[in-house]
Amino acid sequence: MSRILFNHVYKQYGKDKLNVVKDFNLEIEDKEFVVFVGPSGCGKSTTLRMIAGLEDISKGEIYINNVLVNDLPPKDRDIAMVFQNYALYPNMSVYENIAFGLRLRKTPKHEIDIAVKRAARVLEIEPYLERKPKQLSGGQRQRVALGRAIVRNPEVFLMDEPLSNLDAKLRVQMRSELIRLHKQLEVTTIYVTHDQTEAMTMANRIVVMKDGIIQQVDTPEEVYNNPSNTFVASFIGSPPMNFIEGRLEEHGGKLEFHTNRFALEIPQGKAKALIAKRLVNKVVTLGIRPENISVDQIVFDAFPNAVMNGIHKFNELMGADRFLHLDVGAPNLLVVRTSPRNFYNDEMKISVAVDMHKALFFDRDSGERLIDL
């Protein structure tokens, strides 16, 4: 079993003991593919390096397979790490790069040959074994770096932004390769990225981080549909979630979300939950994804009392989707996902309906989610 446990882990720097990672608690199960995601400087790579033994742990404990590894040297942790810059030896062939770690362990020559050729076959780099890294493309170099990790047959793979140096098309291809590789090898994997698309498409679970603190740990679906706070809601999703500030008011036995431009009726189940939390007449933040706002009549029929009128400012054609940017009186423009077949002129008046079953409500000050979806 390759289970990893973080118990109140901190990483502090300098005389002021600045917390780069703060009170990190997490359990990663055997064979999981877990992605640490967050903006630059949030502590995700530092956390990965603490697992590898490349950074000291200031406080707390890290266990790998129930073994405390705080003071264990990297070579004794049975992990393999894949870096952003590949870290290949330019004077060695692909074969020699992959075999290097095994030779350091004094593995018999015939076993090295079997392991290298097996990894090359899995990664489809057999024709390149005699080439030097400078003769390879970026995607091929990344495969070599993966091969060097695979031959060690480690308990855990650690991957630090491994695709960030590749172009967009190669990143998509390598994402698929890594997913396939994980299913084939079934090795516990921790993957660090700032790219929320990589996190959403690859992870069994996502760990969203900000300022060294875990914001949410859950499946990609749950993080996207039921974010724990406005930071997670805005970081995960492209375009990000729309936020509108307004007051919850009761009118005629119904709960409504009010701004100075419009009112949106809240479905009964959500209304009961908000009333139970004594949020009537409180100012809150409404969050709604662009795909849950529509110009389609079917949504208007379903939510006739959840309509906003806006002014079209500009739109973005994104292949299968068109994203409208509307002025509805909020500080930020409202983003609406619609069909690419629809065309709109600047300053055109547009009415949109909101699927209020998908609406989220957050505390205006803390940003924390107030009720479940």
Side-chain angles (χ1 to χ4, degrees):
M1 276 186 63
S2 305
R3 178 173 166 270
I4 302 171
L5 177 66
F6 297 84
N7 184 30
H8 299 288
V9 171
Y10 288 74
K11 179 60 183 178
Q12 299 170 333
Y13 285 114
K15 294 180 180 179
D16 297 333
K17 294 188 176 181
L18 177 68
N19 286 311
V20 178
V21 176
K22 183 178 180 181
D23 201 19
F24 196 97
N25 293 282
L26 180 67
E27 187 172 333
I28 298 172
E29 296 296 337
D30 184 38
K31 301 177 184 178
E32 266 199 298
F33 195 119
V34 173
V35 175
F36 293 175
V37 66
S40 296
C42 72
K44 54 190 185 295
S45 290
T46 300
T47 305
L48 200 74
R49 291 172 66 83
M50 285 193 286
I51 304 170
L54 303 177
E55 292 275 2
D56 293 331
I57 300 164
S58 302
K59 291 182 186 178
E61 301 161 327
I62 295 179
Y63 293 86
I64 301 176
N65 291 342
N66 298 318
V67 175
L68 181 65
V69 299
N70 286 40
D71 300 317
L72 209 60
K75 65 182 180 66
D76 295 331
R77 298 192 183 198
D78 202 10
I79 58 95
M81 194 160 181
V82 180
F83 296 93
Q84 175 181 347
N85 60 359
Y86 318 135
L88 302 178
Y89 296 103
N91 60 321
M92 293 184 183
S93 67
V94 168
Y95 185 103
E96 291 165 338
N97 264 283
I98 296 174
F100 184 74
L102 297 179
R103 285 188 174 140
L104 285 181
R105 292 181 170 190
K106 302 189 184 305
T107 304
K109 188 175 180 180
H110 74 281
E111 291 183 21
I112 292 176
D113 191 61
I114 291 171
V116 170
K117 289 179 178 176
R118 182 189 297 128
R121 186 166 58 251
V122 168
L123 294 165
E124 299 179 357
I125 54 173
E126 289 174 289
Y128 313 119
L129 286 174
E130 300 307 316
R131 295 188 186 181
K132 297 290 177 65
K134 67 180 180 181
Q135 298 173 292
L136 305 177
S137 68
Q140 290 164 347
R141 291 179 194 178
Q142 192 56 275
R143 283 189 171 95
V144 176
L146 287 167
R148 189 170 54 193
I150 289 170
V151 294
R152 293 184 53 191
N153 194 27
E155 290 284 339
V156 179
F157 282 136
L158 304 178
M159 300 189 182
D160 191 5
E161 304 265 13
L163 308 184
S164 61
N165 287 338
L166 305 180
D167 62 45
K169 184 178 179 180
L170 263 179
R171 280 203 302 273
V172 173
Q173 181 183 338
M174 285 302 298
R175 283 206 306 263
S176 300
E177 290 293 324
L178 287 173
I179 293 168
R180 178 185 65 82
L181 194 62
H182 178 256
K183 289 180 178 179
Q184 184 174 344
L185 300 176
E186 295 187 324
V187 176
T188 305
T189 301
I190 303 175
Y191 185 103
V192 161
T193 183
H194 65 275
D195 185 334
Q196 55 95 13
T197 301
E198 288 183 11
M200 290 292 294
T201 55
M202 299 175 73
N204 300 133
R205 284 193 300 159
I206 296 174
V207 179
V208 185
M209 296 179 66
K210 178 189 177 188
D211 299 332
I213 299 171
I214 293 177
Q215 303 295 307
Q216 186 170 0
V217 181
D218 221 316
T219 63
E221 294 82 4
E222 190 67 12
V223 169
Y224 185 81
N225 293 319
N226 215 10
S228 61
N229 55 43
T230 52
F231 171 77
V232 176
S234 61
F235 192 82
I236 300 294
S238 181
M241 182 177 285
N242 294 290
F243 298 111
I244 305 171
E245 195 172 287
R247 183 181 298 274
L248 297 176
E249 299 180 7
E250 279 190 291
H251 292 280
K254 295 179 180 179
L255 189 64
E256 297 174 342
F257 175 83
H258 277 257
T259 74
N260 60 359
R261 289 271 294 270
F262 56 83
L264 307 176
E265 184 180 325
I266 299 170
Q268 189 176 17
K270 269 188 180 4
K272 283 184 178 179
L274 291 165
I275 291 168
K277 286 186 170 283
R278 299 181 180 180
L279 293 169
V280 178
N281 297 322
K282 302 288 186 183
V283 175
V284 299
T285 299
L286 178 144
I288 190 76
R289 296 279 183 197
E291 63 268 26
N292 297 322
I293 312 170
S294 182
V295 297
D296 295 336
Q297 189 59 47
I298 189 170
V299 182
F300 278 85
D301 292 341
F303 301 95
N305 299 317
V307 174
M308 291 183 280
N309 298 312
I311 305 296
H312 174 252
K313 293 301 180 181
F314 67 94
N315 66 76
E316 300 170 290
L317 179 61
M318 303 294 287
D321 299 302
R322 188 183 296 276
F323 291 100
L324 310 181
H325 294 254
L326 307 181
D327 180 359
V328 294
N332 300 313
L333 295 179
L334 186 79
V335 182
V336 180
R337 178 182 174 186
T338 187
S339 168
R341 295 186 296 274
N342 298 334
F343 294 92
Y344 302 90
N345 297 320
D346 289 349
E347 302 303 315
M348 181 179 179
K349 293 182 179 179
I350 300 175
S351 294
V352 294
V354 180
D355 182 347
M356 292 301 288
H357 289 310
K358 302 291 179 61
L360 294 168
F361 295 91
F362 301 92
D363 185 275
R364 179 181 62 169
D365 299 318
S366 70
E368 295 298 310
R369 189 183 67 232
L370 294 170
I371 59 171
D372 291 339
L373 181 59

